Amino acid sequence: MKSDDDLVREYVDLGDTRAFDALVLRHLALIRHLLYGVLGGNEQDILDAQQEVLVALCRCLPQFGGRSSFRTWLYRFVKNRGIDYLRRITRMK
């Protein structure tokens, strides 16, 4: 099994979307868990935020510098995006 760092490099350097898919599948449970923690139990909000996180992750993955583990970086990334999503939907209400 390839490491997270290997998959990130394959996606960023080679444009291999299968590497991105593998990262997402590997960490999807963590992403959903973190969003649940930020957004509570509203399944629709979690799904919407998850979609936004995955699109942003696709764009921002080249910013992962490897100074921490990918899982640590992803944790902060998802938490921050979840908080941004929560702020946005709270303002709209």
Side-chain angles (χ1 to χ4, degrees):
M1 178 170 18
K2 294 181 181 180
S3 72
D4 290 342
D5 290 339
D6 290 339
L7 292 171
V8 169
R9 269 192 299 280
E10 287 178 16
Y11 176 69
V12 171
D13 295 343
L14 305 174
D16 185 353
T17 57
R18 291 174 299 177
F20 181 79
D21 293 344
L23 275 173
V24 168
L25 289 174
R26 185 178 293 175
H27 296 287
L28 191 57
L30 173 65
I31 292 168
R32 289 187 56 74
H33 176 75
L34 293 171
L35 291 173
Y36 181 86
V38 172
L39 301 173
N42 185 318
E43 184 65 23
Q44 189 59 53
D45 284 341
I46 292 169
L47 290 173
D48 291 345
Q50 177 182 302
Q51 183 68 31
E52 288 187 17
V53 163
L54 295 177
V55 169
L57 182 62
C58 187
R59 283 193 320 262
C60 296
L61 202 52
Q63 296 173 5
F64 172 64
R67 290 180 299 280
S68 61
S69 73
F70 175 74
R71 189 175 174 92
T72 299
W73 181 85
L74 181 65
Y75 178 92
R76 269 315 330 138
F77 184 85
V78 173
K79 287 287 256 193
N80 288 339
R81 296 290 172 153
I83 291 167
D84 291 345
Y85 180 87
L86 182 61
R87 285 181 184 141
R88 195 169 54 254
I89 65 169
T90 301
R91 276 188 300 229
M92 293 184 338
K93 291 182 179 179

